[in-house]
Amino acid sequence: AEHDKKAKKRKHEYEEDEDEEDVKHKKKTKDKKVADGKKAKKEEEEKWKWWEEERSTDGSKWRFLEHKGPVFAPPYEPLPGKVKFYYDGKPMKLSAPAEEVATFFAKMLDHEYTTKDIFRKNFFKDWRKEMTSEEKSTITDLNKCNFSEMSEYFKAQSEARKQMSKEEKQKIKEENERLLQEYGFCIMDNHKERIGNFRIEPPGLFRGRGDHPKMGMLKRRIRPEDIIINCSKDSKHPKPPPGTKWKEVRHDNKVTWLASWTENIQGSIKYIMLNPSSRIKLALRAGNEKEEGETADTVGCCSLRVEHIKLYPKMDEQEYVVEFDFLGKDSIRYYNKIPVEKRVFKNLQLFLENKQPEDDLFDRLNTSILNKHLQELMDGLTAKVFRTYNASITLQQQLKELSCSDDSVPAKILSYNRANRAVAILCNHQRAPPKTFEKSMQNLQTKIDEKQNQLSAARKQLKAAKADHKASHDEKSKKAVEVKRKAVQRIEEQLMKLQVQATDREENKQIALGTSKLNYLDPRISVAWCKKYGVPIEKIYNKTQREKFAWAIDMAEKDYEF
Ligand SMILES: *[C@@H]1O[C@H](CO)[C@@H](O)[C@H](O)[C@H]1NC(C)=O
Ligand SMILES: *[C@@H]1O[C@H](CO)[C@@H](O)[C@H](O)[C@H]1NC(C)=O
Ligand SMILES: *[C@@H]1O[C@H](CO)[C@@H](O)[C@H](O)[C@H]1NC(C)=O
Ligand SMILES: *[C@@H]1O[C@H](CO)[C@@H](O)[C@H](O)[C@H]1NC(C)=O
Ligand SMILES: CC(=O)N[C@H]1CO[C@H](CO)[C@@H](O)[C@@H]1O
């Protein structure tokens, strides 16, 4: 009750705030900051329930934003003199920039990547750019480079890290905690908010998925001069590290980024943003059709080309059918044959006329036009909402069909995951079976076998105890039977749990559940299901997901209907 009262009081404050001058707002924020030290702990327990507040209508995402900027990767530490690089059999001292890039390669030496031609070619080209002219004229052939001492050195270091004493580990933990406290939070309007990724990735060699043509290229070190800062004018602007400058400082409250830079491999823009649990990430859910940095030849419904569909005219009793075959998001192939109405079929025929395979199928359509049209049909409707709707309604239906309140919790979870899989299949969220799949299935099977042996042993013991009790008929032997019976029961439950887990894992082999769970399914459906069937929410959502969906966990009742 105390908590509720406070929440109400806070809510009341914000409503007042809406109508007030910036000046007062600023003062409040300042006061708030002074009190922050003391209140930080409390603040965490008492999370801001932003979903209980009104949203601004002018498109602005915040009124006040203050943060400390990103944490940069630590500077390069040159190798100790005893660790040598050899060229053509002779030791050679490299300049610091060339040595740093060489260490990236050395660290990956045991990896298959470094044997691949594209990787080696890209690496060597970029490495040479970091060399002095003298180094460049000497080092002309990657095959003559010997990185093995460097590689051994890094292996020894990583071994040493594993052997660290408790005190040393504690020290590192404390330093990380200090960085988190200093850089990991920003102040947005009146709230202290967690920042998602405030550390900038260290430089290294690019790998990419699959046989990426850019693998092996040097992912450059990001410097303050690369960073654009976004914060409010009236905030304490983040300070760049001594002796450096930011690229730019902007004040734009129509965007939610705190900082951004352009990475050199794909030329994509990287952002520092808030943690998924914060209000902004959620408010932005719908709409963005193009994924940042996606350069592969993938298409969506508006960018389908003539070559991506085939039409099968109606024959006899059959229906009109359209065959789709294209690469969708994340380069996942979408292949499906879908029966359509005559009118749709005839229109598609018209759209195909006089076109080349590489021409746009819907040449007069783009996502903005489509979404504009959808919005005329229903406020807030976009293509993504469509997908979300279809995914969510499917989950709800499947859960209704599959769940049974008499099931054990593991069996209920299996049903949940099956419902989730039905959605993932609908959304075409496939994956290659994980590399570790067979191994982990084997391990699980070993556990199951062991459990089964345990169970037969326990059953034998129970039988013996029963015989003993039959003979002696005393209290002691009766108790022994009870104990053995309980043991059998416990082992049976454990065995069942393992078997369910194995089924679940097998069925999930080629399906990725995360994407739909995180992006397409209304979390209230899952929360309501957990409440209705008495399944702890932790079994469905991990910590990150629970933070992101805190609003739903708080709001959805067990009889919630999507
Ligand atoms: C690389 O150098 C190490 C000594 O640091 C040596 O043992 C090894 O044989 C060399 N490898 C090649 C391929 O020359
Ligand atoms: C979509 O098409 C309309 C009209 O042709 C055009 O004004 C708009 O800029 C286009 N939008 C995009 C994102 O290409
Ligand atoms: C969701 O999409 C599938 C396949 O496109 C379709 O068969 C199904 O009817 C849709 N469900 C709803 C409720 O819209
Ligand atoms: C939770 O699951 C997501 C995938 O949806 C994963 O990326 C994340 O690392 C997980 N978080 C934790 C704390 O396990
Ligand atoms: C700099 C940054 O991270 N974010 C944004 C700040 O505002 C501009 C618009 O003026 C955006 O383009 C940036 O992405």
Side-chain angles (χ1 to χ4, degrees):
E2 186 56 28
H3 178 273
D4 272 352
K5 230 186 271 164
K6 268 189 204 149
K8 269 206 192 104
K9 180 156 174 286
R10 287 159 53 120
K11 187 173 171 194
H12 185 63
E13 273 174 24
Y14 306 132
E15 278 163 2
E16 259 177 25
D17 239 29
E18 301 275 73
D19 306 316
E20 279 173 8
E21 305 289 336
D22 243 21
V23 191
K24 180 145 186 209
H25 165 69
K26 221 162 96 182
K27 179 176 176 307
K28 263 199 176 158
T29 311
K30 208 167 158 197
D31 291 346
K32 171 83 169 27
K33 263 184 286 172
V34 175
D36 251 342
K38 271 190 202 158
K39 267 170 60 184
K41 259 248 140 56
K42 200 144 215 173
E43 197 77 16
E44 257 176 33
E45 292 157 16
E46 198 182 299
K47 287 233 171 88
W48 170 35
K49 299 193 167 185
W50 50 263
W51 55 89
E52 291 178 353
E53 292 176 23
E54 294 293 314
R55 245 195 246 162
S56 101
T57 48
D58 66 353
S60 64
K61 308 283 196 290
W62 44 264
R63 289 159 295 165
F64 181 85
L65 176 61
E66 180 168 290
H67 58 95
K68 286 280 188 73
V71 172
F72 290 92
Y76 177 64
E77 272 181 45
L79 291 171
K82 66 178 197 315
V83 182
K84 296 213 160 47
F85 162 77
Y86 297 86
Y87 187 75
D88 208 4
K90 292 184 211 60
M92 180 174 174
K93 176 77 191 147
L94 296 173
S95 64
E99 185 186 273
E100 179 177 11
V101 178
T103 64
F104 301 152
F105 194 82
K107 281 177 185 166
M108 293 176 73
L109 214 53
D110 286 342
H111 202 289
E112 198 198 341
Y113 276 114
T114 56
T115 62
K116 293 190 176 178
D117 280 346
I118 321 173
F119 192 95
R120 296 176 69 86
K121 208 174 123 236
N122 286 335
F123 161 72
F124 196 55
K125 190 169 161 216
D126 277 2
W127 185 28
R128 284 177 58 80
K129 290 181 201 154
E130 303 301 311
M131 293 177 187
T132 62
S133 48
E134 212 183 323
E135 287 165 338
K136 236 190 233 170
S137 62
T138 310
I139 304 175
T140 52
D141 182 357
L142 183 55
N143 293 317
K144 291 187 180 162
C145 295
N146 184 338
F147 300 95
S148 62
E149 272 189 22
M150 288 181 170
S151 168
E152 289 308 318
Y153 171 71
F154 290 120
K155 271 188 224 161
Q157 277 211 321
S158 98
E159 206 41 51
R161 266 197 301 276
K162 280 186 208 143
Q163 306 295 332
M164 260 188 316
S165 67
K166 258 209 180 108
E167 291 74 34
E168 287 169 309
K169 279 185 191 155
Q170 185 58 25
K171 230 169 127 190
I172 292 179
K173 212 172 142 195
E174 277 164 17
E175 173 61 11
N176 281 336
E177 183 59 27
R178 192 189 63 76
L179 281 179
L180 174 68
Q181 289 307 330
E182 184 170 356
Y183 293 94
F185 296 87
C186 66
I187 294 172
M188 182 174 277
D189 296 337
N190 281 350
H191 305 278
K192 189 171 165 183
E193 291 266 0
R194 180 79 185 268
I195 298 171
N197 51 338
F198 57 95
R199 286 168 189 274
I200 290 182
E201 254 188 78
L205 302 183
F206 178 74
R207 301 186 196 192
R209 286 195 217 172
D211 270 335
H212 201 290
K214 293 188 171 173
M215 68 161 112
M217 279 174 62
L218 175 61
K219 206 168 66 180
R220 288 184 184 290
R221 180 178 288 278
I222 305 299
R223 303 153 308 151
E225 289 77 8
D226 301 315
I227 304 276
I228 305 175
I229 294 287
N230 227 6
C231 61
S232 45
K233 249 191 203 127
D234 59 359
S235 73
K236 228 194 271 158
H237 297 187
K239 279 202 194 66
T244 66
K245 280 202 298 231
W246 300 122
K247 183 174 178 187
E248 194 188 327
V249 177
R250 287 187 203 169
H251 314 289
D252 180 352
N253 73 355
K254 296 284 193 290
V255 299
T256 58
W257 327 122
L258 312 188
S260 81
W261 65 93
T262 306
E263 59 84 32
N264 66 296
I265 305 278
Q266 310 265 46
S268 62
I269 301 174
K270 298 284 192 182
Y271 300 100
I272 288 187
M273 341 194 193
L274 296 186
N275 205 43
S277 59
S278 66
R279 63 171 178 158
I280 297 245
K281 281 288 277 280
L282 263 155
L284 278 184
R285 256 184 326 173
N288 279 355
E289 315 293 331
K290 256 260 141 41
E291 283 289 298
E292 167 215 325
E294 185 159 336
T295 49
D297 180 29
T298 62
V299 295
C301 68
C302 288
S303 45
L304 279 174
R305 296 190 298 264
V306 168
E307 61 197 331
H308 294 136
I309 69 163
K310 262 198 206 124
L311 301 181
Y312 295 91
K314 189 178 171 82
M315 278 189 292
D316 309 324
E317 290 300 293
Q318 308 225 303
E319 291 170 291
Y320 293 101
V321 170
V322 185
E323 180 186 272
F324 292 88
D325 191 355
F326 60 90
L327 289 185
K329 187 165 174 295
D330 289 337
S331 299
I332 302 282
R333 182 179 177 205
Y334 181 91
Y335 177 82
N336 208 354
K337 283 184 179 171
I338 297 179
V340 295
E341 283 174 36
K342 182 175 174 187
R343 193 150 69 126
V344 172
F345 193 88
K346 294 283 171 203
N347 278 336
L348 284 174
Q349 272 180 329
L350 278 177
F351 300 154
L352 290 177
E353 266 172 21
N354 301 322
K355 280 190 191 165
Q356 299 299 313
E358 64 279 9
D359 288 343
D360 279 339
L361 175 62
F362 303 115
D363 49 299
R364 306 231 196 130
L365 193 61
N366 62 29
T367 50
S368 22
I369 300 174
L370 174 66
N371 282 334
K372 202 164 155 238
H373 173 69
L374 291 173
Q375 250 146 63
E376 278 163 14
L377 302 177
M378 187 183 143
D379 198 27
L381 188 60
T382 64
K384 181 158 180 189
V385 170
F386 235 88
R387 201 167 156 81
T388 306
Y389 171 79
N390 190 293
S392 294
I393 202 85
T394 304
L395 178 72
Q396 181 166 290
Q397 281 163 356
Q398 289 288 314
L399 283 176
K400 265 197 193 134
E401 259 171 54
L402 300 172
S403 308
C404 176
S405 36
D406 297 335
D407 278 350
S408 64
V409 169
K412 284 175 184 165
I413 294 168
L414 178 60
S415 301
Y416 177 87
N417 287 341
R418 283 183 169 155
N420 198 168
R421 277 195 280 279
V423 174
I425 291 168
L426 177 72
C427 297
N428 202 35
H429 293 150
Q430 308 170 41
R431 64 168 182 183
K435 281 201 188 68
T436 52
F437 185 82
E438 292 307 328
K439 182 102 187 80
S440 80
M441 278 311 271
Q442 266 171 22
N443 291 345
L444 195 52
Q445 193 52 48
T446 310
K447 276 193 199 160
I448 291 176
D449 294 345
E450 278 166 11
K451 229 2 120 196
Q452 248 148 1
N453 292 340
Q454 252 184 47
L455 184 59
S456 6
R459 282 190 176 139
K460 268 191 199 131
Q461 286 181 20
L462 174 60
K463 212 168 157 189
K466 277 183 181 163
D468 194 31
H469 179 54
K470 220 171 183 176
S472 54
H473 272 298
D474 62 2
E475 264 312 297
K476 199 171 147 225
S477 63
K478 190 177 164 196
K479 253 206 179 121
V481 170
E482 262 328 290
V483 169
K484 298 295 177 199
R485 198 193 302 283
K486 285 232 172 77
V488 167
Q489 234 173 37
R490 203 179 53 239
I491 297 169
E492 275 173 348
E493 270 164 29
Q494 289 165 344
L495 177 61
M496 196 267 295
K497 208 166 150 182
L498 287 171
Q499 282 165 333
V500 166
Q501 211 182 336
T503 309
D504 202 10
R505 210 176 279 178
E506 182 66 45
E507 288 179 4
N508 215 38
K509 190 172 174 180
Q510 306 199 49
I511 296 173
L513 296 183
T515 315
S516 50
K517 209 181 226 183
L518 227 49
N519 300 311
Y520 292 112
L521 294 174
D522 190 312
R524 288 172 296 184
I525 300 169
S526 300
V527 171
W529 180 86
C530 282
K531 288 182 182 167
K532 184 165 174 193
Y533 288 96
V535 174
I537 196 81
E538 295 77 25
K539 304 277 185 192
I540 301 297
Y541 289 139
N542 69 22
K543 187 158 176 288
T544 331
Q545 292 160 340
R546 287 199 299 279
E547 279 171 12
K548 174 168 171 172
F549 297 137
W551 62 277
I553 294 170
D554 194 54
M555 268 168 51
E557 302 295 342
K558 69 178 193 316
D559 47 8
Y560 168 81
E561 289 269 339
F562 177 71

